[in-house]
Structures are given as C-alpha cells and as structure tokens.
Amino acid sequence: MSELTTVPTETVFPAADNVRKRVEVDDDFVDSVRAHGIIEPVIVRVHPEKGVGFYEVVAGARRLEGARRAPLERVPCVLRDEDLDDATRLELMLIENVHREGLSPLEEAGAYRELKRLGRGQRDLASKVGRSQSHISKR
C-alpha cells in the first residue's frame, strides 16, 4: 500500500544507484515548478540508511532537483510503505525512465546488468519494463 503525503524537501535524497547518472533540469523546468509546483508526486521509500523521517527517491529525481532549485520547502511524495527490496526498487526506477527520452543505452544497459546481478532474468525484465527479451539481451 502507498500513501500520498508531502515531506520537507531536505529530507528526500536521490538514490545513489539511480539508473539516470546525470539528473539535469533546465531553467524552464525550474520556472514551471516555481509557478505550478510538482504536478506528479515523487515516489519514495524510507531511506534504508537514514531511517524514518528520511526518504530515498524511487522515481522522480528530476522533479526533486527542480523542487530544490525552485526552491520548494515541501515536495509531494507517494510513500511506498511496503518493503521494497533493491531489485524491485531498481525495476521501478528503470520502468520510470526506460520509456522516456534521454536515458542513454549505457544507462539502460547498466540497470539491466545490476538487475541481473540481483537475480532478475531477461524474460522477467522484458515483461516488467515493456521491452523484448532480445532488446534487453543486446543492451
């Protein structure tokens, strides 16, 4: 189950292993966040090292960066309260990014490699991220 909430921006941290290695926001995006806020909440989980009251981004690192640069005091979040293991969390990150422009083939390949290391198979990944098994194999 998930909970929609707002949390202080300074308590939310990007994941160290984010599949998108460079999180870039331009001035237009920051201006939009400043004018309209965050339209789509950031998906977070309780930070595995910092604990309760601190959050790790599962999806929405660009939105978080835009909120920080705007600057917003609070950011809307969907708190995933179920226990997300690292493989499931990484799958969610990949799904969030793989169908958007800008994720490089190397970033995508690195995410697949890490998921393989965490025990995920190519067929399983293909069905979850909406890509063919051969696409994943080639990456």
Side-chain angles (χ1 to χ4, degrees):
M1 183 153 226
S2 301
E3 174 188 345
L4 180 60
T5 187
T6 60
V7 299
T9 305
E10 69 269 6
T11 65
V12 184
F13 298 89
D17 61 350
N18 189 348
V19 297
R20 187 179 301 277
K21 300 305 177 198
R22 296 180 63 193
V23 177
E24 298 177 3
V25 295
D26 60 21
D27 291 338
D28 290 338
F29 183 74
V30 174
D31 290 343
S32 173
V33 169
R34 191 175 293 121
H36 304 288
I38 300 293
I39 296 169
E40 184 177 336
V42 177
I43 300 172
V44 299
R45 71 175 181 173
V46 172
H47 198 286
E49 296 168 7
K50 297 180 185 296
V52 176
F54 297 93
Y55 306 93
E56 178 182 50
V57 174
V58 174
R62 284 188 72 243
R63 285 169 267 162
L64 174 62
E65 182 62 22
R68 286 190 170 149
R69 288 188 44 202
L72 300 181
E73 290 182 22
R74 298 182 73 78
V75 63
C77 295
V78 172
L79 175 58
R80 297 289 298 256
D81 61 357
E82 69 270 13
D83 186 28
L84 289 179
D85 63 24
D86 285 338
T88 303
R89 180 186 54 83
L90 190 56
E91 282 176 354
L92 293 174
M93 277 189 205
L94 185 59
I95 291 166
E96 168 83 3
N97 285 287
V98 77
H99 296 289
R100 294 179 185 231
E101 288 185 38
L103 188 63
S104 77
L106 286 175
E107 290 170 325
E108 186 179 352
Y112 293 141
R113 182 182 61 242
E114 181 63 13
L115 283 164
K116 182 180 177 186
R117 187 187 71 75
L118 293 168
R120 296 299 200 257
Q122 289 181 0
R123 285 191 181 110
D124 182 43
L125 287 172
S127 68
K128 289 184 177 176
V129 302
R131 298 286 196 196
S132 69
Q133 184 271 328
S134 65
H135 173 88
I136 291 171
S137 177
K138 289 175 186 174
R139 286 287 194 255

